[in-house]
Structures are given as structure tokens and as C-alpha cells.
Amino acid sequence: MVLHHLPSSQIYHLHPFVSLSASHQFRTNYTLFCPLYDYVYGTVDKSTDSVYENALKREAESPDVVHLSHLTTPDSIYHLPLGFPSLSSKPQVSKWYLLFMWPVTVWSMLLTWVVGHAFISERNAFKKLKLQAWVVPKYNMQYSSKWQRETISKLIGQAIRDADKKGAKVLSLGLLNQHEEFTRNVELYMKRNPQLKIKVVDGSSLAAAIVLNSIPEETTQVLLRGRVSEDVYVLVQALCQKGIKVLTVQEDKYKKLLKFDNKLQSNLFLSERYDTKVWLVGDGLTDKEQFKAPKGTIFIPFSIFPPKKVRKDCYYHTTPAMVAPASVENLHSCEDWLPRRAMSASRVAGIIHASEGFDVNECGGTIFSVDKVWEASLENGFRPLPIST
């Protein structure tokens, strides 16, 4: 494209290599992305090549906090800021017209098989902290595959090393990177590499705090459904300490929770009833179980992925997340299925650990203070998300 129709006073704003050092250099570099025409007509600025070479020599921006996520569905790559901005600015849902992109989708999936490291998908800022979101080039189905887990663990380890080398203070684990098997491996990895200065956070304590503070104040009992993990133990422990009765209909989960802390027995009960109106739900909640809930039930997930909404007469909360303050800059895309300017618990936890200088790892069997991280999040301007219908 030739821009001779624009005044030269406007053109220098468009081209990154226009020089204003001398008057005879002013009317140069007229074209923006097609410098061929400048070379043809002799309007190339003499300093263009040297400016370009100096720009390439500049060191890449070093992050203070890295959030490590991954791809989910095959078409999730289009929802990244690197994909289509119109899609990334909205919560991730399947779009029928993306079926026409299947040749590109297949090509991108094949590419992820050969990409050997995480890539940067987003850059943000919070106060004096520089934030980056990195994506592991693996999908949900690969995380579920046993023969892919070792490869994924290596990719996570490589991301931790790379972030540490770049000077990052904290790396937070997103989505299935928080799975117990991977966090256990990360915990061992950090112990085997004491020279690493970076801290790794999975956000378990903040997720528990968010769920705890999402429960209506008048609640006296809750029903626990779904898979029991270590972060659930922390949540149940906090609920029991507040005097809220925790009910479960499965004996194996009841025994697991008591094994974690036998002091829970005073407020933890094995029940056969589903009439409680506040359900704390994890992975594995079925449609059949949801239809057993009374009208007006509030489903509050403590899981990484949201439950399927099958009841129109009930309320569904998002997965543990908080609304970011205005001081978080350049936040134009949605994180997975969350609404605009909402961040997952693990992502917020990473920012808070760096902002407050919490010099601890939180992954595997290590849990941070639920109350301390919640109060710090509020003090930094993060707010809980409202319950949606």
C-alpha cells in the first residue's frame, strides 16, 4: 500500500522506522507493511536498517509473574489473544462456524505435538508487576492420557526453569496443571532444584477462600458432591471450623475426609438426603444428581472446570475466580469460560503472592493460609464474582 495521499506529518506516526533527525529524512518510509515500494521509489530512510537491527537486539521483557495454563478443546486456540480477538474477548463456548476452520484446527493440533515449550499468549500489568500468561501446547484429552503425563510434567518443569531464568518471582498453575499428579511432581521438582528462586503456586488456599465466602451467610449446612482432593480437605476443614455442617452421601468420601482430620467428625456427616439448598460440587457431578436437588439450590463449584447447567430453576456459581481491579492493565480477553476482567483463583493467587512477597511454594501437599490470602486479595482490589442464574 502506498501512502502518498497522506500528509507526511501523519505518515511518521504510522511507520515504526521513520527518522526525524534531519529535514531531508522527513519524507521517507511512506509505506507501512510493504517497504518494497519505498525501495522502488527511493524513499527508504537511511537509518531504517540500523534502527531495525537495534530493535532486534533489545532484551525481551522479563515477567514478574507467569500464569501457566494450557489449551482445552481443539478450537480453544482461536479463543486465545493470539487467535481471534472477537472470540477471546468473550467467555469460551463452542461456535458452529469454527467447523469450517477444521483444516487450520488440524494443522494447529499437529503443530502442538512438535512444539517443545510453552508460549506467551498474553501480557498484563498490575501496579509495578509485569504479568504474562503462558500456554502449554497440550489439550484436555492429552492431560487425560497416561502416556502423555510424563511429557506434560517435563513441559511444566521447563516452563518453571524458563520463568526462573527470566527473573519471574512467581509461577501459578492453571487448569489441569493443578491436578494432584502434576502438583506432586512440581513439589518434588522444586525440592530437587533448591537453586531456583521462583515460587510455584496452585491457588488451593485462595480457591477454598473464594468458595467459603461464596456461601450465603445464613447457611448452616452444605452438601458436598464430586471428587475429593487435597484442596477440598482445606475447604471442609474451614467450613467445620465455622460451625457449618458438611454432608456427604458417599461413605468413601466421608472416610477420606475423616482420615485427613478426625476432628472434622463434629461437623461432618454421612447423609442419604439431597434436600440441602447449597451444594459444593466438584468433578463428576451428573445430570441425574442435579435433578435430585430442590428448587432454588445454589451450585458452587470447587472444581477446575464448571459443572454442566441442566437446571433452570437453580443458581450456578462460576469456578473459583475473582474480578480484577482497574489497576490490572491490558486485560482485554476472557480467561477460558470466565467473564471479562475475571481471573481464576490460581492466577489471582500468583499475583497476590508476588505483590505481598509471600516467599513460599503452594503446591502438592503444601497449603497456604486461607484467611491471609483472602484478606490480601481484597486489600489489592480483587472482588468476588456474583452468583449467576
Side-chain angles (χ1 to χ4, degrees):
M1 180 189 296
V2 180
L3 302 179
H4 290 292
H5 63 284
L6 287 179
S8 58
S9 59
Q10 294 182 22
I11 295 173
Y12 80 89
H13 291 294
L14 298 178
H15 201 291
F17 304 124
V18 170
S19 171
L20 300 179
S21 58
S23 59
H24 70 277
Q25 291 179 318
F26 183 75
R27 297 182 183 279
T28 57
N29 289 3
Y30 282 82
T31 56
L32 186 58
F33 299 113
C34 301
L36 172 65
Y37 293 105
D38 275 320
Y39 284 99
V40 171
Y41 293 104
T43 55
V44 177
D45 192 290
K46 295 178 181 179
S47 63
T48 295
D49 292 337
S50 60
V51 171
Y52 178 70
E53 289 172 3
N54 290 332
L56 290 178
K57 292 177 182 178
R58 288 187 302 177
E59 292 185 5
E61 185 179 64
S62 298
D64 296 302
V65 183
V66 170
H67 180 64
L68 187 64
S69 185
H70 61 81
L71 298 168
T72 52
T73 59
D75 60 6
S76 63
I77 196 164
Y78 303 123
H79 293 266
L80 296 177
L82 299 174
F84 297 136
S86 60
L87 292 179
S88 67
S89 64
K90 300 174 183 177
Q92 183 177 332
V93 291
S94 179
K95 300 290 186 179
W96 64 268
Y97 52 80
L98 290 180
L99 292 174
F100 295 104
M101 296 287 292
W102 69 266
V104 180
T105 305
V106 172
W107 178 85
S108 67
M109 290 182 69
L110 292 174
L111 184 62
T112 61
W113 285 89
V114 297
V115 173
H117 55 82
F119 59 89
I120 301 173
S121 68
E122 190 175 3
R123 291 179 173 87
N124 313 104
F126 174 66
K127 297 180 179 178
K128 295 182 179 181
L129 297 175
K130 295 184 287 291
L131 318 176
Q132 289 185 2
W134 294 7
V135 176
V136 174
K138 298 293 179 182
Y139 300 90
N140 287 350
M141 56 187 177
Q142 291 170 300
Y143 273 79
S144 301
S145 173
K146 290 183 179 181
W147 65 277
Q148 279 281 305
R149 290 176 185 174
E150 184 178 351
T151 301
I152 292 172
S153 290
K154 288 180 179 178
L155 287 172
I156 295 173
Q158 182 63 53
I160 294 172
R161 288 196 301 274
D162 291 344
D164 181 72
K165 193 176 296 183
K166 291 177 181 291
K169 301 173 183 177
V170 179
L171 181 141
S172 56
L173 300 172
L175 296 180
L176 290 173
N177 293 324
Q178 302 172 48
H179 194 278
E180 282 184 44
E181 181 174 345
F182 298 117
T183 56
R184 287 290 186 183
N185 288 340
V186 169
E187 185 179 29
L188 290 173
Y189 180 81
M190 297 302 290
K191 288 179 179 178
R192 291 171 182 170
N193 295 274
Q195 78 279 5
L196 295 175
K197 296 180 180 179
I198 195 170
K199 300 301 177 185
V200 181
V201 175
D202 64 14
S204 297
S205 56
L206 183 57
I210 292 171
V211 174
L212 189 64
N213 287 277
S214 299
I215 299 171
E217 292 184 4
E218 67 277 5
T219 302
T220 58
Q221 63 181 26
V222 298
L223 180 66
L224 186 70
R225 297 295 301 118
R227 184 175 61 85
V228 172
S229 56
E230 289 183 355
D231 53 341
V232 179
Y233 298 150
V234 180
L235 174 61
V236 172
Q237 193 174 50
L239 286 166
C240 291
Q241 288 174 354
K242 288 186 66 174
I244 297 176
K245 295 179 180 178
V246 180
L247 312 179
T248 178
V249 296
Q250 291 177 284
E251 189 174 356
D252 59 336
K253 289 184 174 60
Y254 175 75
K255 290 180 178 179
K256 279 185 179 180
L257 290 167
L258 284 183
K259 188 177 179 181
F260 171 73
D261 185 356
N262 56 19
K263 294 180 181 178
L264 300 177
Q265 193 167 9
S266 58
N267 280 300
L268 180 65
F269 300 93
L270 186 62
S271 175
E272 296 180 355
R273 303 182 63 177
Y274 290 83
D275 56 355
T276 302
K277 283 204 168 186
V278 177
W279 285 33
L280 306 185
V281 298
D283 295 325
L285 181 70
T286 64
D287 296 355
K288 184 178 180 181
E289 285 180 309
Q290 288 193 47
F291 281 111
K292 292 181 180 180
K295 181 180 178 181
T297 293
I298 301 174
F299 295 104
I300 305 176
F302 54 80
S303 56
I304 297 170
F305 294 97
K308 181 182 177 182
K309 297 180 181 181
V310 299
R311 295 283 298 272
K312 293 183 178 180
D313 57 351
C314 293
Y315 304 92
Y316 292 83
H317 208 313
T318 64
T319 51
M322 300 187 81
V323 178
S327 50
V328 177
E329 301 173 10
N330 197 36
L331 192 62
H332 306 306
S333 60
C334 291
E335 184 181 347
D336 302 313
W337 49 83
L338 296 174
R340 287 285 294 271
R341 298 201 66 79
M343 288 183 166
S344 62
S346 60
R347 192 174 181 182
V348 175
I351 296 172
I352 297 304
H353 276 247
S355 179
E356 297 296 312
F358 295 149
D359 193 27
V360 293
N361 290 309
E362 183 189 40
C363 58
T366 307
I367 303 295
F368 193 64
S369 170
V370 173
D371 293 332
K372 194 172 183 178
V373 72
W374 174 252
E375 291 170 4
S377 299
L378 297 179
E379 288 173 1
N380 279 274
F382 289 88
R383 292 293 177 264
L385 279 166
I387 293 178
S388 60
T389 56

